[in-house]
Amino acid sequence: MTRKYETIFIINPELSEEETKALVEKIKGTIEASAQLESIDEWGKRKLAYPIDHFNEGYYVLANFTADSNFPRELERIFRITDGIIKDIIVKREK
């Protein structure tokens, strides 16, 4: 059964522009390989509400996708093991 999901992930602000773009493309490719990517929106660098790993700002990326119910768990695992991602969240969207 497929469902609609939304994820926001925050990238280390100290990465170069090329490293940030490569990381966004990697996550985009991961989503496209197992799900249907609806949209990806790069918000850019923004101030964090509270420090995360001694960072006060981060590079925000929002992605909307449709996937089977087991894919978000795998995507979460990939976020955790990927260097450069300091925070992430995946939520199920209402129809």
Side-chain angles (χ1 to χ4, degrees):
M1 179 176 171
T2 60
R3 295 186 174 143
K4 293 184 179 284
Y5 295 94
E6 172 177 279
T7 183
I8 295 178
F9 56 99
I10 305 172
I11 299 173
N12 179 338
E14 295 178 350
L15 294 180
S16 70
E17 190 174 326
E18 295 80 27
E19 291 171 320
T20 301
K21 291 249 182 252
L23 192 52
V24 170
E25 287 302 315
K26 176 184 176 184
I27 298 300
K28 183 178 174 184
T30 300
I31 294 172
E32 289 175 333
S34 300
Q36 181 181 355
L37 182 66
E38 295 170 4
S39 66
I40 192 156
D41 188 14
E42 295 183 41
W43 294 354
K45 283 189 182 177
R46 293 178 179 235
K47 186 169 174 39
L48 299 173
Y50 55 89
I52 300 173
D53 294 338
H54 307 291
F55 297 115
N56 291 320
E57 65 177 13
Y59 189 91
Y60 283 70
V61 181
L62 168 72
N64 293 301
F65 60 94
T66 303
D68 289 330
S69 58
N70 59 353
F71 177 68
R73 184 174 293 128
E74 174 64 14
L75 184 59
E76 214 167 61
R77 185 189 71 79
I78 291 167
F79 282 146
R80 279 196 311 270
I81 64 172
T82 303
D83 290 336
I85 295 182
I86 58 174
K87 193 76 170 167
D88 66 88
I89 187 169
I90 301 171
V91 294
K92 185 173 73 170
R93 293 187 325 192
E94 296 298 321
K95 296 183 181 193

